[in-house]
């Protein structure tokens, strides 16, 4: 029987729950709030911190790294209910019972242009160079309709020479939808505006 908790907690691969204090250190040292006796884990490996209403995780210079949803934590990152956290070789799930659960069909899209990183629902997505150029262009202009001519000039430098056709842009849009949409056949992020072009919401 699961006990409802007011405070957030971690579950380990054995299903054991680890309640979190406002400042929780994970590591091999007995002084840590969550102690893991694994050689893959550093003495003080990672720290979870409550700042106001938001939880975050940071790596404490560990040898084998801390990973959030499969992506290595370099700087402090915000945690959300359901996130996967890997410390060394040990995986946890982060649970925040205070999070309001709601059905939201729109995927959570993040584009970090400075780092060239795209995340959908908090997980990194691998894009081809053209897919990334298209997404970055639309993301900068999200909420606006972008014509095929504008997309062509931005994504294909050779566009002015007449080497790019509508079907190539349409195919690229279809490929991008398979990467960022939960259901590409029923897009929630990247819409076709008939006769005008495409629009990204976010």
């Amino acid at each position: 029987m699961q006990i409802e908790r007011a405070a957030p907690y971690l579950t380990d691969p054995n299903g054991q729950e680890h309640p979190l204090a406002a400042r929780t250190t994970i590591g091999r040292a007995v002084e840590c709030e969550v102690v893991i006796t694994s050689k893959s884990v550093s003495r003080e490996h990672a720290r979870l911190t409550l700042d106001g209403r938001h939880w975050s995780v940071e790596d404490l210079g560990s040898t084998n790294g801390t990973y959030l949803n499969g992506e290595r934590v370099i700087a402090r990152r915000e945690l959300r209910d359901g996130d996967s956290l890997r410390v060394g070789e040990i995986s946890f799930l982060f649970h925040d019972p205070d999070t309001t659960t709601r059905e939201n069909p729109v995927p959570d899209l993040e584009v970090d242009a400075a780092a060239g990183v795209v995340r959908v629902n908090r997980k990194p997505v691998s894009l081809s160079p053209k897919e990334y150029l298209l997404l970055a262009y639309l993301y900068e202009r999200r909420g606006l309709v972008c014509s095929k001519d504008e997309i062509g000039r931005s994504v294909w430098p050779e566009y002015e020479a007449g080497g790019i056709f509508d079907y190539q842009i349409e195919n690229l849009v279809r490929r991008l939808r398979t990467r960022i949409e939960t259901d590409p056949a029923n897009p929630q992020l990247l819409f076709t505006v008939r006769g005008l072009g495409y629009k990204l919401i976010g």
Side-chain angles (χ1 to χ4, degrees):
M1 178 178 176
Q2 290 289 331
I3 299 173
E4 289 189 4
R5 297 180 182 275
Y9 60 97
L10 299 174
T11 52
D12 63 26
N14 296 320
Q16 183 178 351
E17 297 180 0
H18 303 270
L20 301 177
R23 186 178 173 90
T24 298
T25 302
I26 304 173
R28 222 172 55 241
V30 295
E31 296 84 10
C32 294
E33 285 74 27
V34 178
V35 179
I36 305 174
T37 56
S38 168
K39 292 182 179 179
S40 68
V41 176
S42 299
R43 285 183 56 79
E44 291 189 346
H45 196 110
R47 180 176 293 126
L48 278 62
T49 306
L50 175 62
D51 182 11
R53 296 178 59 87
H54 301 284
W55 284 87
S56 62
V57 60
E58 60 183 316
D59 184 79
L60 299 178
S62 67
T63 301
N64 293 315
T66 302
Y67 292 80
L68 176 61
N69 297 324
E71 185 177 2
R72 187 160 189 164
V73 175
I74 305 300
R76 181 178 292 192
R77 294 278 304 279
E78 184 179 341
L79 284 168
R80 296 181 190 171
D81 183 56
D83 277 348
S84 170
L85 189 65
R86 181 157 60 86
V87 178
E89 296 177 352
I90 310 300
S91 295
F92 295 90
L93 280 178
F94 174 74
H95 303 270
D96 188 352
D98 286 338
T99 299
T100 301
T101 303
R102 63 187 178 95
E103 291 295 326
N104 183 6
V106 181
D108 181 13
L109 175 66
E110 301 174 66
V111 179
D112 185 344
V117 174
V118 176
R119 302 182 187 94
V120 176
N121 293 332
R122 311 269 293 159
K123 297 181 180 179
V125 174
S126 177
L127 300 178
S128 71
K130 292 295 187 190
E131 290 166 353
Y132 180 80
L133 285 174
L134 172 61
L135 179 59
Y137 180 81
L138 294 173
Y139 191 78
E140 286 179 3
R141 295 158 181 80
R142 55 192 179 278
L144 303 176
V145 178
C146 300
S147 70
K148 289 181 180 178
D149 283 343
E150 292 168 336
I151 290 170
R153 284 193 293 270
S154 175
V155 177
W156 283 273
E158 64 273 27
Y159 185 83
E160 294 293 350
I164 301 302
F165 300 94
D166 282 359
Y167 78 88
Q168 292 172 283
I169 297 173
E170 292 162 4
N171 286 341
L172 182 61
V173 168
R174 276 196 289 271
R175 292 201 303 272
L176 180 58
R177 281 191 177 127
T178 67
R179 303 289 191 182
I180 66 172
E181 298 280 7
T182 304
D183 180 3
N186 297 287
Q188 301 292 323
L189 290 171
L190 178 49
F191 294 92
T192 300
V193 183
R194 292 196 177 279
L196 296 176
Y198 300 97
K199 178 171 69 172
L200 183 77
I201 66 168

